[in-house]
Amino acid sequence: MSLEPALRRQLVALLGADWVRDDQVTRFSYRCDGLTLHPSLPAGVVFPGDHDQVVGVVKLLHAAGVSFLPRGAGTGLSGGAVPTTGAVIIELVRLNRIGPVNEIDRTIEVGPGVVNIQVSHAARAHGLYFVPDPSSQKACSVGGNVAENSGGPHTLKYGVTVNHILALDVVLPDGSAHRVGGESWASPGADLLALLIGSEGTLCIVTNIICRLTPLPPAVQTLLAVFNDVQQACEAVSAIIRAGIVPAALEMIDNTVIRAIEQTISAGFPTDAEAVLIIELEDIEAGITDELAAVRRILGQVGTHEIRVAEDEAARARIWRARKEAFGAIGALSPSFYTQDGVIPRGALPRVLARVNQIGRDHGLTIANVFHAGDGNLHPLILYDAHDPDQVAATHEVGRRILELCLAEGGTLSGEHGIGLEKNSLMDRVYSSTTLDHMAEVRAVFNPNARLNPGKMLPEPGKCGDIKSVAALRAKSGIQV
Amino acid sequence: MSDARVFAPADTGSLLAWLRAGYAAKRPFWIAGQGDPHPDPAALQLDLSAFNQTLFFDPDDMVVGVGVGKKHLALQKELAAEGMGLPVNPWFDDDTVGSLVAKNRFGPERLYRGGVRDWVIGMTYATVDGRLIEVGGRVVKNVTGYDLARFMVGNRGELAVLLSVNFKLMPLPHQPEALLFRGPAEAWPRAVAALIKAHIPLDWAQVRLAAGTVRLGVGISGGTARRRSLKVSLEETTGAAWSAPEQSPDESLFHRLADGPALAGLTGAAPVHAYGRLATSVLLQQENYRQDCQVIHPIGADIHRFVANPSVLSANEPEAGVSWVLEQAPPDCAIRRLPAKTPEAVLHQKLKASFDPCGCLPSHFHGG
């Protein structure tokens, strides 16, 4: 079903014919985002070029009673930008203006279509950078980061997206426009920014963002700690934190991922290691020496096999390239993989990681692990063959069991990928029906008819608790990653 | 002897029952510590001092969960015993965890360690109609559902009754040290401007104006070499000496923002670039405030005015472009600082109507 002709004419009159697409190729291209489990064709895709055009488009769609949703780079992994059938996608890629850096306020104003890494590139000359750095930062948009409250390796010390945004210009589903937050670091009243950031495109469409920038660290030391035992690596993570040291990043990569990395980009990681930790310390020169010595001492105490310190920026860049491209490297080992995202208390890491791998073995599947160990944010990658229906079904079962394990340990469903379509049927495992009803009431304040991005984050009526049937439906849909 | 105008529940069950009954009767009330008194003289006061337990504390995971009635200083002491701290140090010694969160009272560490919102990871609150809501969780990273825990920061008792809060923690700074600017008093605005530009990693920064004196101070920490290096950077950047506070009454009080809980005050927030204008304004008004106290956190650009006589607050209209909220204001000092017609205020009003449809709780910002 493409756009209704009268609506199409109105949209073309507003945006121009080039920016209103409902041909088969475009609709097929926008049937899913990074989560391909639930493909669904939109009625069309529109490409507004500025804030006023977004307002105009939303007003037209609102008047026509059509569902719609915003989309950035489409790199999300929880299906937040997957349309329900017949919905219109508002693609924000043209809102890509990067404002000047305000060195005194440490801010930069950007459009939601700006690619994450471009913000730090623009700020670098001023000795500043934008902290949130998801693995997809070369492709993902800042608008997407805001919608999902994205994290990344460097959020252990500095926080996730919500900690680095000062203001948003937003459009509500009725077309009304609002500025939330401002140039100052605090506003009176309840924290609206915190509510809107991470709302997965279900409360508003963001058209402009004031990002808070952070001074570049004067000195950085990046270590690669090599372990012959995964449990030792987990113990090292806890020991470092217990010693009162909060590294800028503390990332773990297991043997399966190390082998994939070496097959693809040859970062020089030891392929016989069971796990490596990437530990990044940041401070002034006079402070980093003490911290480095303390970390070395702790690593020695837990039985680290080898410690490599990046001697220059090129060596550091090699380590981070390996970490950031690890997901892609998995393609060298498996035709398909499913990226899970769960959080546990950091102290539970050793037993949970062992249990995760056992769950995979129970179902005959390999699980690779590359994750934010310092935050307790797991990313088990379940390797499978999409052409084997049994493996597809097993993949869903493994994913569900991993999430249930996270919840049993006092953790939660998502640390940075969001709930979207992927996990909304599991929300009643986390929150009471009273709390979920309350969240629905909050959504109704902004999005009373649920016309904006329907079916995301909150469970659909009748689906909560029906995990088995959801898994069966997902299995039938086929996974194509 | 119990006060019939105060309800002090001993547990969550009795609180929820009281809220349900009150909601049915549209009974007005206000939450001691979380909000200012209700303008309706018939309103009851809700006292949550019994909700003062530490619910969990895991230093290895750097998380704590605590009832809103616990005193902020008591919590910090408990955390410090394990080498941990909540990097938020507000200005009233009597502040509870509920005050800290509901009134968004951060402190001089705002720039370097974030504000209250940056440390909240979960919360339990009761709605005005007596439903128990648990949001967020106990883990340091969480994007499961709407972030209603952070949303509640700064609501000032307008929306719901906060009961417990979960925080992410940080290790206490190693060997912390305060340093005072020893250049000419009138040079402090220039010194602050230089600090802002220099990106020196301080733990906190604060300007305190009281009794006709101006003090600019910063916090540093770390090993000897680190602290020495930071001190050299401070002196090179500002062209003046910096040294530890003395034990004189003036300098030993430096860490206290207000001189006593009896003082009322205004807290304002402005963009950092407006700091220069604020500084000038403050200097011009020193005569008016000679007996009182003003504090600027120049790098977070928030300013606090504490006065013995609250009527001064209404007599001195604050600078345009700065958002102000009242601190410890008496009921008759009803200044509404957030312009009611800003686009953001419209959203606040809609949310207020959804959370509190009968208007049981006061409205501090929007002319309620």
Side-chain angles (χ1 to χ4, degrees):
Chain A
M1 184 182 69
S2 53
L3 292 168
E4 191 272 323
L7 175 62
R8 191 179 198 290
R9 278 194 297 277
Q10 290 174 304
L11 290 167
V12 167
L14 178 69
L15 303 178
D18 285 350
W19 305 116
V20 179
R21 304 280 184 84
D22 58 353
D23 57 280
Q24 282 296 323
V25 172
T26 301
R27 292 172 61 213
F28 185 77
S29 300
Y30 280 84
R31 75 196 185 286
C32 63
D33 55 13
L35 179 78
T36 57
L37 288 163
H38 308 274
S40 175
L41 292 177
V45 184
V46 296
F47 301 77
D50 58 30
H51 169 87
D52 290 344
Q53 287 194 343
V54 174
V55 170
V57 165
V58 169
K59 284 183 174 171
L60 286 176
L61 295 172
H62 176 70
V66 173
S67 295
F68 51 95
L69 66 157
R71 176 177 154 130
T75 56
L77 293 168
S78 60
V82 175
T84 50
T85 301
V88 173
I89 289 179
I90 302 176
E91 169 62 83
L92 298 168
V93 69
R94 291 178 67 208
L95 277 70
N96 59 357
R97 192 186 67 84
I98 302 183
V101 170
N102 184 325
E103 203 172 330
I104 301 300
D105 286 350
R106 299 183 188 176
T107 58
I108 185 170
E109 203 162 330
V110 302
V114 170
V115 172
N116 171 294
I117 203 165
Q118 291 175 343
V119 183
S120 287
H121 285 166
R124 182 172 261 296
H126 304 270
L128 301 165
Y129 76 115
F130 183 51
V131 167
D133 63 339
S135 295
S136 57
Q137 73 176 140
K138 290 179 181 171
C140 66
S141 66
V142 183
N145 299 161
V146 169
E148 301 297 330
N149 195 13
S150 302
H154 287 85
T155 56
L156 170 61
K157 189 171 187 175
Y158 300 110
V160 292
T161 300
V162 70
N163 307 114
H164 301 278
I165 301 295
L166 290 181
L168 299 173
D169 288 324
V170 301
V171 180
L172 265 49
D174 63 359
S176 60
H178 305 265
R179 161 64 66 100
V180 176
E183 292 173 299
S184 57
W185 291 36
S187 300
D191 196 334
L192 275 171
L193 272 181
L195 176 60
L196 298 181
I197 295 170
S199 61
E200 303 190 12
T202 65
L203 301 184
C204 62
I205 297 176
V206 175
T207 59
N208 189 49
I209 302 157
I210 299 182
C211 302
R212 173 185 157 198
L213 300 171
T214 299
L216 284 163
V220 179
Q221 289 280 8
T222 306
L223 292 82
L224 190 73
V226 181
F227 296 87
N228 291 329
D229 184 284
V230 173
Q231 297 297 307
Q232 281 180 336
C234 294
E235 176 51 35
V237 171
S238 293
I240 290 168
I241 300 289
R242 202 180 302 129
I245 298 168
V246 182
L250 189 45
E251 301 284 299
M252 190 184 294
I253 303 175
D254 76 2
N255 176 266
T256 306
V257 181
I258 291 170
R259 284 187 289 115
I261 287 169
E262 288 308 304
Q263 281 186 42
T264 51
I265 62 172
S266 302
F269 286 12
T271 53
D272 56 347
E274 284 303 308
V276 295
L277 281 181
I278 299 171
I279 305 164
E280 187 147 283
L281 306 171
E282 295 181 352
D283 201 354
I284 59 172
E285 285 288 353
I288 208 164
T289 315
D290 290 350
E291 211 160 63
L292 180 61
V295 169
R296 276 181 175 278
R297 193 166 53 247
I298 292 165
L299 291 173
Q301 286 166 355
V302 299
T304 308
H305 175 66
E306 182 188 357
I307 303 168
R308 301 179 187 177
V309 180
E311 291 177 356
D312 52 30
E313 186 54 34
R316 177 175 175 254
R318 252 194 322 276
I319 290 174
W320 279 113
R321 184 182 168 213
R323 168 61 186 89
K324 301 246 173 177
E325 296 183 10
F327 284 15
I330 288 294
L333 299 184
S334 173
S336 308
F337 66 92
Y338 174 44
T339 307
Q340 196 46 277
D341 170 39
V343 189
I344 55 167
R346 185 174 34 239
L349 208 47
R351 66 174 176 273
V352 169
L353 209 53
R355 194 77 194 95
V356 163
N357 290 330
Q358 183 59 49
I359 290 171
R361 285 193 292 274
D362 290 349
H363 293 268
L365 296 175
T366 298
I367 294 181
N369 291 285
V370 49
F371 62 98
H372 313 304
D375 291 322
N377 187 185
L378 305 178
H379 288 319
L381 309 175
I382 307 164
L383 314 191
Y384 72 101
D385 182 351
H387 300 294
D388 181 340
D390 291 340
Q391 285 203 17
V392 172
T395 299
H396 287 294
E397 181 65 9
V398 167
R400 181 186 64 80
R401 288 185 62 189
I402 290 171
L403 290 176
E404 288 185 340
L405 176 62
C406 292
L407 296 179
E409 289 284 351
T412 195
L413 291 178
S414 178
E416 57 186 8
H417 293 176
I419 299 301
L421 276 176
E422 183 195 17
K423 297 175 180 173
N424 58 355
S425 63
L426 295 171
M427 285 286 276
D428 70 340
R429 302 292 182 98
V430 182
Y431 298 123
S432 67
S433 59
T434 306
T435 296
L436 290 173
D437 288 347
H438 179 63
M439 286 188 181
E441 290 166 9
V442 171
R443 180 178 64 182
V445 171
F446 296 83
N447 188 11
N449 303 314
R451 196 165 285 150
L452 176 61
N453 211 3
K456 308 294 167 58
M457 186 192 280
L458 297 179
E460 293 288 276
K463 286 197 175 176
C464 258
D466 194 11
I467 307 303
K468 284 184 182 172
S469 64
V470 170
L473 283 171
R474 287 176 176 171
K476 279 182 194 170
S477 74
I479 305 174
Q480 297 167 353
V481 178
Chain B
M1 190 172 65
S2 64
D3 181 347
R5 305 200 55 75
V6 178
F7 177 65
D11 56 44
T12 304
S14 54
L15 169 67
L16 296 179
W18 183 80
L19 287 170
R20 284 187 207 112
Y23 184 73
K26 299 185 179 179
R27 178 179 59 206
F29 70 100
W30 64 282
I31 312 160
Q34 295 182 26
D36 294 320
H38 203 295
D40 183 343
L44 299 183
Q45 177 185 339
L46 179 60
D47 176 355
L48 296 171
S49 54
F51 292 68
N52 62 355
Q53 306 297 309
T54 298
L55 306 173
F56 63 90
F57 173 31
D58 189 338
D60 286 355
D61 281 336
M62 302 197 306
V63 292
V64 69
V66 62
V68 291
K70 194 176 195 78
K71 292 283 171 66
H72 165 256
L73 290 179
L75 173 64
Q76 292 287 31
K77 192 174 173 186
E78 201 173 313
L79 302 176
E82 296 289 341
M84 288 286 148
L86 180 63
V88 175
N89 287 288
W91 35 91
F92 296 116
D93 288 353
D94 271 356
D95 267 351
T96 60
V97 167
S99 315
L100 190 109
V101 174
K103 296 184 176 178
N104 190 17
R105 284 183 173 158
F106 41 90
E109 292 146 310
R110 180 70 174 88
L111 174 69
Y112 307 100
R113 289 161 169 259
V116 177
R117 74 195 296 263
D118 298 306
W119 303 101
V120 171
I121 58 173
M123 186 180 286
T124 301
Y125 60 82
T127 57
V128 289
D129 59 354
R131 290 177 290 163
L132 188 66
I133 307 298
E134 292 177 87
V135 288
R138 297 182 175 197
V139 288
V140 297
K141 206 169 173 187
N142 190 346
V143 294
T144 305
Y146 297 126
D147 195 345
L148 292 167
R150 280 198 179 97
F151 169 64
M152 284 293 164
V153 173
N155 91 87
R156 298 185 80 88
E158 281 196 354
L159 300 178
V161 182
L162 312 192
L163 298 177
S164 67
V165 186
N166 302 344
F167 294 105
K168 173 184 174 181
L169 305 171
M170 288 294 267
L172 284 174
H174 178 51
Q175 295 183 291
E177 182 181 345
L179 294 174
L180 287 183
F181 174 65
R182 300 300 185 182
E186 67 275 11
W188 73 266
R190 277 202 313 278
V192 168
L195 289 181
I196 291 171
K197 212 165 181 182
H199 295 178
I200 299 173
L202 307 172
D203 290 351
W204 52 265
Q206 179 169 286
V207 182
R208 184 174 188 273
L209 301 95
T213 61
V214 181
R215 295 284 179 213
L216 162 61
V218 299
I220 60 174
S221 60
T224 307
R226 185 180 195 274
R227 283 181 287 127
R228 190 184 303 128
S229 171
L230 287 171
K231 192 175 172 214
V232 168
S233 295
L234 284 167
E235 293 181 340
E236 286 177 355
T237 301
T238 60
W242 292 73
S243 64
E246 296 166 1
Q247 291 306 307
S248 65
D250 171 35
E251 295 194 359
S252 64
L253 274 174
F254 180 73
H255 287 92
R256 293 173 60 86
L257 303 192
D259 290 334
L263 294 180
L266 281 173
T267 288
V272 178
H273 71 253
Y275 134 82
R277 178 168 54 77
L278 278 176
T280 309
S281 165
V282 168
L283 285 173
L284 288 175
Q285 294 186 23
Q286 270 190 77
E287 284 305 312
N288 294 338
Y289 287 85
R290 183 162 290 279
Q291 301 305 315
D292 303 314
C293 171
Q294 298 188 82
V295 169
I296 300 176
H297 296 142
I299 308 182
D302 51 293
I303 180 168
H304 314 280
R305 293 178 173 170
F306 299 96
V307 297
N309 176 12
S311 64
V312 175
L313 298 174
S314 53
N316 289 273
E317 188 61 28
E319 294 78 6
V322 182
S323 302
W324 296 89
V325 293
L326 281 169
E327 302 288 355
Q328 302 206 152
D332 58 349
C333 188
I335 305 173
R336 305 280 182 251
R337 292 296 167 191
L338 188 66
K341 291 189 177 166
T342 62
E344 181 166 332
V346 171
L347 296 178
H348 276 294
Q349 285 164 349
K350 285 184 175 180
L351 285 158
K352 168 74 174 162
S354 173
F355 275 76
D356 182 20
C358 296
C360 293
L361 288 166
S363 180
H364 298 301
F365 300 118
H366 311 298

